[in-house]
């Protein structure tokens, strides 16, 4: 059967015109003489590239192609396959679902390897294909250093890998070699894997005078994590900068980058910000799981009365709907849920975002790119030439973007946008401060949704603290909100440039539920605590 598999590979390559029959005959003769797999003979002789061979096996033989670059593999998955067996057959286990184990293999047609894997693990093996270069790198990263973070650190200390003493000036060439050492790679991978598994939104790596501090932001709150010793600081920070395609030689200027990692079926987009501080470069990584389930409006936590009114705004053919709040208040989730609720085949929905956090089927999404002058304002102008029905502007940052969005709303488009303001009435004063004329605001804005995210009680311990919520009593978050609809009274106050307090008073008199009131209703319902509501609504 193995011979048939090899023959079918060769025949397939000939049929696709990748090699000739004559070349195949020569390669098969070499295969018999050296006892080397046909695949390897063809690559070694330069008759086909490693990448082309892998792509052929994937496309024409129905085997999944796995790109192992930046692929993070859980140590528990690695432990399922002994190192000797993995190296013998050049394979890496990457994903286990139920009784199925997916393994990336150099030669997924090798039935002897599959049989041995099946017998050793007791699992059904799903073969995937990867290049030999990728497999070797993954084997070294996964098997060379195993165990906990403490084990990795001990190994690095013992071998003096990544160790840079305080105030030591390190050569860039040495730093470049250091970031490719398997223990350094493993250490950074473990930190990211732990963060992804715990639902962390941001990783902070903060150099201090005599130590390195690592903090995870979970449910909006920062929490200290166990950190490696200070002398590994340069290696860790440089490794992250390499992943994000940042200049490791530049340590005096802020830099921004991004990279993507894969964990099982998840693809995680990581945005990296580096700024110089007194004790080294401070790194913040924001984790965006593009495979996360997007919530519907019903799951966001809006009061029933608020949701009913908000849905009526979404049914409008035109006007601006603003979602406001500080960074990390769930504005993007609300906008995406809003667009999803009205995303039908008869509508052309286009967005301009920075960044595109989640992919929405049927929606054209544009990523801001200042390097080619694709700003919110310029992107919005182009969108208007694409015959849109609904437009989403990731953020209104200046008067130019605001005025284009307003003109779009006044010419028959439904426009979603975000603003950084503390409450719904504050959106009016923010736009006026930008330089937008009050009459344009009054005539175009349909409503403003302000929101915050509050932590909700852990369902396992009902807020009493347990290991599942890291002894905090909270697990997960839910929105609290206030929705201000523009009626004649509000519009009149806007035209008069009334204060936020005056506008707020009028909105509450006409039925607006305030942020704090919504929060306290959730306290009464046993969803969250009073302390949590006060924490996010302090004025």
């Amino acid at each position: 059967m193995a011979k048939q598999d090899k023959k079918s590979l060769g025949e397939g390559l000939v049929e696709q015109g990748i090699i000739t029959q004559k070349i195949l005959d020569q390669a098969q003769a070499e295969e018999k003489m050296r006892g080397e797999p046909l695949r390897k003979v063809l690559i070694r002789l330069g008759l086909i590239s490693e990448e082309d061979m892998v792509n052929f096996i994937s496309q024409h033989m129905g085997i999944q192609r796995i790109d192992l670059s930046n692929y993070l593999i859980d140590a528990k998955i690695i432990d399922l396959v002994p190192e000797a067996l993995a190296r013998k057959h050049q394979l890496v286990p990457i994903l286990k679902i139920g009784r199925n184990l997916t393994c990336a293999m150099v030669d997924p047609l090798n039935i002897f390897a599959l049989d041995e894997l099946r017998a050793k693990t007791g699992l059904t093996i799903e073969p995937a294909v990867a290049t030999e270069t990728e497999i070797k790198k993954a084997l070294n990263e996964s098997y060379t250093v195993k165990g906990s973070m403490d084990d990795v650190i001990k190994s690095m200390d013992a071998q003096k890998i990544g160790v840079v003493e305080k105030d030591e000036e390190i050569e860039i060439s040495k730093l470049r070699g250091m970031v490719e050492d398997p223990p350094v790679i493993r250490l950074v991978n473990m930190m990211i894997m732990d963060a992804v598994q715990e639902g962390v939104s941001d990783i902070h790596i903060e150099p201090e005078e005599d130590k390195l501090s690592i903090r995870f932001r979970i449910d909006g709150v920062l929490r200290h994590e166990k950190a490696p010793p200070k002398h590994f600081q340069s290696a860790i920070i440089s490794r992250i900068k390499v992943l994000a395609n940042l200049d490791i030689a530049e340590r005096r200027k802020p830099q921004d980058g991004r990279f993507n990692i894969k964990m099982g079926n998840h693809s995680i987009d990581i945005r990296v910000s580096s700024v110089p501080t007194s004790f080294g470069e401070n790194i913040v990584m924001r984790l965006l799981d593009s495979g996360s389930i997007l919530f519907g409006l019903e799951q966001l936590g809006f009061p029933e009365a608020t949701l009913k009114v908000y849905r009526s705004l979404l049914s409008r053919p035109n006007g601006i709907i603003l979602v406001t709040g500080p960074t990390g208040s769930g504005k993007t989730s609300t906008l995406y849920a809003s667009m999803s609720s009205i995303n039908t085949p008869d509508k052309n929905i286009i967005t301009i975002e920075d960044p595109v956090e989640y992919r929405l089927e049927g929606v054209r999404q544009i990523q801001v790119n200042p390097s080619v002058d694709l700003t919110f304002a310029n992107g919005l102008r182009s969108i208007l030439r694409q015959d849109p029905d609904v437009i989403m502007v990731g953020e209104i940052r200046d008067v130019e973007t605001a005025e284009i969005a307003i003109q779009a709303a006044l010419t028959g488009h439904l426009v979603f946008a975000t603003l950084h303001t503390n409450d719904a009435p504050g959106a009016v004063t923010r736009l006026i401060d930008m330089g937008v004329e009050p009459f344009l605001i009054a005539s175009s804005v349909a409503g403003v949704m302000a929101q915050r995210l509050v932590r909700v009680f852990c369902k396992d311990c009902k807020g009493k603290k347990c290991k599942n919520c890291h002894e905090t009593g909270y697990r997960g978050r839910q929105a609290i909100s206030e929705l201000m609809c523009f009626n004649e009274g509000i519009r009149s106050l806007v035209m008069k440039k009334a204060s936020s307090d005056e506008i707020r008073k009028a909105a509450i008199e006409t039925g607006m539920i305030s942020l704090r009131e919504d929060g306290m209703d959730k306290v009464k319902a046993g969803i969250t605590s009073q302390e949590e509501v006060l924490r996010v609504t302090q004025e």
Side-chain angles (χ1 to χ4, degrees):
M1 191 176 285
K3 192 171 183 180
Q4 288 176 345
D5 284 334
K6 290 176 184 175
K7 186 178 179 183
S8 66
L9 172 63
E11 286 182 344
L13 290 167
V14 172
E15 286 172 8
Q16 293 299 317
I18 296 172
I19 60 174
T20 65
Q21 184 61 50
K22 184 178 180 181
I23 288 175
L24 175 60
D25 293 340
Q26 292 172 346
Q28 286 177 330
E30 184 90 1
E31 175 190 18
K32 288 179 181 178
M33 183 175 70
R34 289 176 171 263
E36 194 176 34
L38 177 63
R39 166 193 54 78
K40 202 161 187 175
V41 171
L42 291 167
I43 293 170
R44 180 174 55 78
L45 294 177
L47 300 171
I48 184 172
S49 71
E50 187 179 25
E51 189 65 36
D52 286 344
M53 176 62 81
V54 165
N55 290 334
F56 171 80
I57 291 172
S58 173
Q59 293 168 15
H60 298 285
M61 310 200 80
I63 297 173
Q64 183 185 5
R65 162 70 162 114
I66 297 289
D67 182 356
L68 288 178
S69 58
N70 295 338
Y71 202 108
L72 304 191
I73 308 170
D74 193 328
K76 293 176 183 175
I77 302 296
I78 289 295
D79 288 341
L80 294 172
V81 178
E83 180 178 358
L85 180 59
R87 290 191 182 277
K88 173 185 174 183
H89 294 301
Q90 292 187 293
L91 60 88
V92 181
I94 59 172
L95 175 65
K96 180 178 179 288
I97 300 177
R99 302 296 300 167
N100 290 337
L101 179 66
T102 300
C103 293
M105 307 174 68
V106 172
D107 186 3
L109 305 176
N110 185 341
I111 62 167
F112 299 116
L114 295 174
D115 286 343
E116 194 171 350
L117 264 177
R118 216 173 281 121
K120 194 70 178 178
T121 63
L123 300 170
T124 300
I125 306 301
E126 296 285 345
V129 64
T131 67
E132 186 171 355
T133 303
E134 292 169 359
I135 293 285
K136 284 181 177 177
K137 184 171 182 285
L139 284 169
N140 289 334
E141 290 174 9
S142 301
Y143 285 101
T144 301
V145 182
K146 296 177 67 177
S148 66
M149 185 176 286
D150 285 340
D151 294 329
V152 177
I153 289 170
K154 285 177 186 175
S155 171
M156 291 171 69
D157 268 327
Q159 300 174 63
K160 294 293 181 183
I161 292 173
V163 174
V164 178
E165 299 302 334
K166 188 177 179 182
D167 300 325
E168 177 188 345
E169 283 294 326
I170 185 167
E171 294 179 4
I172 298 302
S173 58
K174 182 181 177 183
L175 204 54
R176 292 188 193 282
M178 190 185 293
V179 299
E180 294 302 326
D181 277 316
V184 175
I185 294 171
R186 184 76 175 150
L187 190 62
V188 172
N189 286 359
M190 288 176 75
M191 178 172 57
I192 295 173
M193 277 193 286
D194 287 347
V196 172
Q197 289 167 350
E198 291 191 29
V200 170
S201 62
D202 301 87
I203 301 172
H204 292 243
I205 301 173
E206 303 162 327
E208 298 179 25
E209 186 173 10
D210 296 310
K211 67 177 182 178
L212 183 64
S213 176
I214 293 179
R215 293 192 291 171
F216 286 176
R217 187 177 293 280
I218 302 175
D219 291 335
V221 177
L222 282 169
R223 183 189 79 198
H224 276 285
E225 297 295 312
K226 187 170 184 177
K230 173 78 172 177
H231 53 253
F232 293 131
Q233 175 179 308
S234 293
I236 291 169
I237 289 174
S238 296
R239 174 61 188 168
I240 293 167
K241 289 178 70 176
V242 165
L243 287 171
N245 201 28
L246 302 181
D247 183 0
I248 62 172
E250 179 55 74
R251 304 172 196 167
R252 300 162 300 169
K253 296 179 182 178
Q255 296 185 69
D256 295 297
R258 66 196 305 166
F259 63 98
N260 185 275
I261 57 113
K262 303 169 191 70
M263 277 185 65
N265 289 327
H266 291 271
S267 178
I268 315 293
D269 191 44
I270 300 179
R271 286 185 280 157
V272 179
S273 170
S274 168
V275 295
T277 70
S278 301
F279 305 117
E281 292 171 278
N282 197 89
I283 298 283
V284 176
M285 293 187 281
R286 170 150 289 186
L287 281 57
L288 300 168
D289 186 347
S290 57
S292 289
I293 298 171
L294 292 173
F295 292 113
L297 289 170
E298 299 81 2
Q299 285 81 48
L300 294 179
F302 299 138
E304 193 173 326
T306 299
L307 186 56
K308 183 178 179 181
V309 176
Y310 187 65
R311 285 192 181 282
S312 70
L313 293 179
L314 297 181
S315 66
R316 291 173 55 104
N318 55 46
I320 296 180
I321 298 173
L322 295 171
V323 181
T324 76
T327 299
S329 60
K331 299 186 297 294
T332 300
S333 294
T334 297
L335 285 176
Y336 278 36
S338 301
M339 286 188 293
S340 294
S341 71
I342 60 171
N343 184 11
T344 54
D346 61 322
K347 288 188 177 72
N348 182 19
I349 304 177
I350 309 179
T351 75
I352 176 81
E353 308 173 58
D354 185 23
V356 174
E357 295 191 15
Y358 304 98
R359 300 293 175 183
L360 293 175
E361 188 175 350
V363 176
R364 262 56 62 195
Q365 296 171 268
I366 301 169
Q367 167 71 52
V368 165
N369 187 355
S371 65
V372 294
D373 203 27
L374 180 52
T375 61
F376 277 114
N378 290 340
L380 191 48
R381 285 193 188 92
S382 298
I383 287 172
L384 290 172
R385 294 191 286 271
Q386 291 282 312
D387 185 33
D389 298 295
V390 180
I391 300 168
M392 192 271 270
V393 184
E395 184 183 344
I396 293 179
R397 298 175 180 171
D398 51 55
V399 66
E400 184 181 16
T401 306
E403 289 180 342
I404 299 169
I406 286 169
Q407 289 303 319
L410 294 175
T411 53
H413 304 88
L414 183 62
V415 180
F416 295 102
T418 72
L419 271 177
H420 283 273
T421 65
N422 289 328
D423 57 15
V428 174
T429 51
R430 174 79 178 110
L431 289 171
I432 290 175
D433 289 345
M434 278 185 185
V436 180
E437 292 292 340
F439 77 91
L440 289 174
I441 300 170
S443 57
S444 62
V445 178
V448 184
M449 174 80 84
Q451 64 182 66
R452 299 287 191 281
L453 292 176
V454 293
R455 292 181 295 170
V456 299
F457 289 134
C458 172
K459 292 179 181 178
D460 294 315
C461 64
K462 307 296 182 186
K464 294 177 182 177
K465 301 183 180 181
C466 67
K467 64 178 182 180
N468 292 329
C469 60
H470 303 284
E471 305 295 332
T472 64
Y474 301 99
R475 193 176 182 188
R477 290 189 290 176
Q478 195 175 98
I480 61 172
S481 60
E482 62 182 24
L483 176 60
M484 183 178 77
C485 291
F486 273 48
N487 53 33
E488 289 306 315
I490 299 294
R491 290 191 182 95
S492 176
L493 289 171
V494 172
M495 294 288 285
K496 295 175 185 176
K497 293 188 178 181
S499 68
S500 290
D501 288 341
E502 290 176 280
I503 295 173
R504 165 171 288 281
K505 183 179 177 183
I508 289 174
E509 287 175 354
T510 55
M512 182 180 83
I513 300 170
S514 71
L515 278 166
R516 186 163 290 182
E517 184 182 354
D518 182 21
M520 290 307 174
D521 285 342
K522 288 179 169 60
V523 172
K524 292 174 187 174
I527 295 170
T528 189
S529 67
Q530 182 173 319
E531 293 77 18
E532 183 66 8
V533 172
L534 294 176
R535 180 181 71 84
V536 301
T537 60
Q538 286 181 353
E539 297 173 1

